[in-house]
Amino acid sequence: MKLFSFWRSLATYRVRIAMNLKGIVPDEVIDVNLMKGQQRDEAYRGINPMMALPALVDGEGPAMFESLAIIEYLDETHPNPPLLPKDPKGRARVRGLSQIVACDSHPLIVPRVREYLEHELKIDEPRRNAWCQHWHRAALTAIETNLKDKATGKYAHGDAITMADICLATQAAGAGFFKVDLAPFPIFKRIVETCNQNEAFARAHPLRQPGAPASV
Ligand SMILES: N[C@@H](CCC(=O)N[C@@H](CS)C(=O)NCC(=O)O)C(=O)O
């Protein structure tokens, strides 16, 4: 298995957590430096035409892309521990919480969007940061409201780790990068703190990857 990765990539962080939980060790981790724009190099464009991380090649390929699709692939091929509940309504809730992070919130703050705001729309750094913080808070507000549901337990859905917890942990890391205060989101914060005590989450953290700085 080859994982295309970068220390700061929150989407790759999601896949790393899933791999750690399932005890999957990739044979190769290929660094694609997002800060140098290597995601746009022709070689990587051939792997993922969206020019985004992560991508995963299992055996002969083809390359898989989009973190949630990769996590579900890993869940189907390595079913233990399961990352989705068994019942359809539970699966829909876990996928919904995950998609708030991976599909509604995170795509608004990625390098391609921040760079477009900077270079095309000439938006200065304080206002770009305000943009990122706004979309973080919008997602956190929706997630916190959803977590008030009785389906929430020790984790986002019941008392076992699911894909939703993986996504919550990455949302919290992103909030840290953009200095978003988590105090107004106590259930979210509690669940992320519980997750981060788990070695599979801790080892996958962006700041624990090769090439990462001591802090952001
Ligand atoms: N929805 C995608 C997001 C992928 C994505 O945007 N990844 C970021 C890093 S976390 C990236 O590679 N961005 C490159 C860019 O914006 O130019 C997923 O969950 O995999």
Side-chain angles (χ1 to χ4, degrees):
M1 245 185 219
K2 278 193 222 171
L3 177 66
F4 292 81
S5 168
F6 185 57
W7 67 266
R8 195 186 157 107
S9 162
L10 297 173
T12 313
Y13 176 25
R14 291 193 270 280
V15 169
R16 276 198 303 269
I17 299 169
M19 288 183 137
N20 289 349
L21 285 166
K22 290 176 178 293
I24 303 168
V25 181
D27 302 292
E28 209 181 331
V29 177
I30 299 155
D31 210 48
V32 179
N33 190 320
L34 295 182
M35 284 157 158
K36 292 186 179 157
Q38 287 175 349
Q39 71 275 29
R40 293 186 286 269
D41 287 355
E42 199 165 336
Y44 187 68
R45 240 186 296 150
I47 305 284
N48 183 3
M50 190 58 199
M51 297 179 271
L53 290 170
L56 182 77
V57 177
D58 189 7
E60 298 292 292
M64 287 172 267
F65 43 87
E66 289 290 333
S67 59
L68 298 187
I70 294 173
I71 291 171
E72 291 215 22
Y73 168 81
L74 295 173
D75 203 37
E76 286 166 17
T77 52
H78 300 75
N80 286 315
L83 296 176
L84 287 168
K86 290 209 165 28
D87 63 302
K89 284 186 178 157
R91 293 166 87 82
R93 182 170 182 267
V94 166
R95 287 185 172 125
L97 288 167
S98 303
Q99 287 178 23
I100 291 176
V101 173
C103 308
D104 292 344
S105 168
H106 179 212
L108 293 166
I109 58 109
V110 289
R112 60 188 175 278
V113 171
R114 299 202 313 272
E115 285 163 18
Y116 187 82
L117 293 174
E118 179 179 359
H119 301 300
E120 301 297 323
L121 302 184
K122 310 291 179 207
I123 294 180
D124 61 21
E125 195 181 355
R127 290 195 304 149
R128 292 200 305 276
N129 285 338
W131 164 283
C132 293
Q133 289 170 346
H134 170 81
W135 294 116
H136 264 289
R137 286 196 200 98
L140 287 164
T141 302
I143 292 168
E144 185 71 13
T145 306
N146 279 311
L147 291 176
K148 288 178 184 156
D149 192 277
K150 61 178 185 332
T152 301
K154 179 177 176 192
Y155 294 106
H157 191 80
D159 294 328
I161 290 170
T162 64
M163 184 165 72
D165 301 294
I166 293 177
C167 291
L168 264 49
T170 67
Q171 182 81 22
F177 290 168
F178 291 99
K179 314 276 182 264
V180 175
D181 182 13
L182 293 181
F185 312 106
I187 311 172
F188 173 89
K189 201 161 169 275
R190 173 196 45 91
I191 292 169
V192 170
E193 282 165 3
T194 306
C195 289
N196 287 341
Q197 285 163 17
N198 183 314
E199 181 57 20
F201 283 74
R203 256 191 305 127
H205 194 278
L207 297 181
R208 287 192 51 187
Q209 305 316 304
S215 64
V216 174

